[in-house]
Amino acid sequence: MSLAKQTFVSAFLEGKTAVVTGAGRGIGKMISEILARNGAFVSMVGRSSKNLNEASESLKMKGLKVETIQCDVSDSSQVDAAVAQILEKQGSIHILVNGAGITKDGLILRMKDEDFSEVLRVNLFGTFYFSRAAAKVMVKQKEGKIINIASIVGVTGNPGQANYAASKAGIIGLTKTLAKELASRNITVNALAPGYIVTDMTEKLPEKTRTELAERIPMGTLGSTEDVAYAVLFLASPYARYITGQVLHIDGGMVM
Ligand code: NAP
């Protein structure tokens, strides 16, 4: 049985409010579920209200406490409005997970300006906008956990993904800098670097590519959304109190 389907609900995040971006599908949706199963109230942020509503309804059916906030993370005024809306209702933000992300792959010689800038605007600028808005709240609270979803591609580079790799490497630099700026305020900032995880993003890859990828992974398979979500849960938990500025790889041993 998959871990997420287990019926236990532990409560060590009871009373905590979490914001997860990119929560309508894939990794962000599973992170929302795992945080809510452990007691957090989760504000699920995303672009498509249809995806958000479907995702939140399925979690509410399980008795979990979530709400939806429609917001394009690449627009700083929308992000500030979303955070104000969350604060008005919830009064606090203890955990922020920056999970919204896109790819627009292509080799450098053919990559258009807009394909480069759009990926940077969503992945990197979106992470910056949400972190800045949430950090203002967390500094006042003297408590916070920011968890950014980077990628091993931000560490290793990857042909055809100049835009995506630059955005994820940028997230790693942003993470380390915020960790240093905010450590004295009892706020930790860490990044996860997933390898290849089964979601819509990797479903786009041809079957042959996915088989070849699995052969390059020491553990022999692609990861699951739960593999990423449980790492978020750990970093958001009191057990990770003394961990900040780190990049945790969740990749079945691909990059060591
Ligand atoms: P996904 O299934 O494609 O989902 C991406 C999510 O991001 C969707 O909910 C999408 O919203 C949201 N999003 C995209 N642009 C947005 C915007 N401008 N504003 C708000 N939300 C936006 O992707 P995933 O595989 O779950 O990936 C989640 C994160 O993990 C991404 O940051 C990705 O780069 C990272 N990652 C994934 C893998 C992998 O193998 N899957 C590996 C390493 C890192 P809509 O539903 O509205 O479109």
Side-chain angles (χ1 to χ4, degrees):
M1 189 204 280
S2 86
L3 286 171
K5 305 291 180 303
Q6 289 180 355
T7 49
F8 71 85
V9 175
S10 90
F12 63 81
L13 296 182
E14 200 65 56
K16 301 293 180 193
T17 51
V19 178
V20 180
T21 73
R25 289 186 282 134
I27 292 172
K29 180 182 169 197
M30 182 59 76
I31 291 169
S32 302
E33 172 161 357
I34 299 295
L35 293 179
R37 275 183 182 273
N38 284 275
F41 180 94
V42 181
S43 299
M44 300 172 71
V45 176
R47 209 174 26 175
S48 137
S49 52
K50 180 176 172 285
N51 290 347
L52 276 178
N53 288 338
E54 280 174 16
S56 72
E57 282 313 311
S58 73
L59 300 194
K60 283 179 187 165
M61 300 263 286
K62 296 176 183 174
L64 302 175
K65 293 173 288 178
V66 298
E67 67 170 357
T68 59
I69 309 277
Q70 194 187 359
C71 167
D72 177 348
V73 300
S74 69
D75 178 338
S76 72
S77 59
Q78 286 193 37
V79 171
D80 289 345
V83 168
Q85 194 184 332
I86 292 164
L87 272 185
E88 202 177 298
K89 274 170 91 178
Q90 313 308 336
S92 59
I93 299 175
H94 299 107
I95 300 158
L96 168 67
V97 183
N98 284 303
I102 58 167
T103 52
K104 288 223 169 229
D105 295 353
L107 294 168
I108 187 75
L109 298 185
R110 273 189 245 130
M111 189 172 283
K112 297 192 188 87
D113 291 1
E114 55 270 28
D115 291 344
F116 192 85
S117 60
E118 193 183 342
V119 170
L120 267 286
R121 277 195 282 111
V122 174
N123 298 6
L124 180 58
F125 286 37
T127 300
F128 160 65
Y129 295 145
F130 249 104
S131 299
R132 179 177 60 184
K136 283 181 190 156
V137 181
M138 291 173 175
V139 163
K140 282 196 199 124
Q141 287 168 183
K142 298 191 176 61
E143 176 187 346
K145 311 263 191 193
I146 299 176
I147 299 148
N148 298 324
I149 312 295
S151 165
I152 54 162
V153 165
V155 179
T156 62
N158 198 27
Q161 292 198 305
N163 47 6
Y164 185 75
S167 74
K168 295 300 185 178
I171 288 175
I172 291 171
L174 179 67
T175 299
K176 292 179 180 179
T177 300
L178 299 190
K180 286 184 176 174
E181 285 189 20
L182 299 171
S184 65
R185 313 300 182 96
N186 193 31
I187 299 166
T188 62
V189 189
N190 291 289
L192 298 183
Y196 290 96
I197 308 296
V198 179
T199 66
D200 292 349
M201 198 176 262
T202 41
E203 287 294 312
K204 284 193 249 170
L205 299 170
E207 181 65 37
K208 185 168 167 281
T209 312
R210 277 188 282 146
T211 310
E212 282 165 8
L213 276 174
E215 282 163 6
R216 281 171 41 208
I217 301 170
M219 290 185 78
T221 59
L222 274 67
S224 72
T225 54
E226 286 135 293
D227 292 325
V228 182
Y230 279 105
V232 169
L233 178 64
F234 168 64
L235 290 172
S237 79
Y239 307 119
R241 185 191 73 87
Y242 201 53
I243 300 174
T244 197
Q246 301 305 306
V247 182
L248 180 59
H249 291 207
I250 302 159
D251 63 0
M254 254 186 115
V255 177
M256 307 187 191

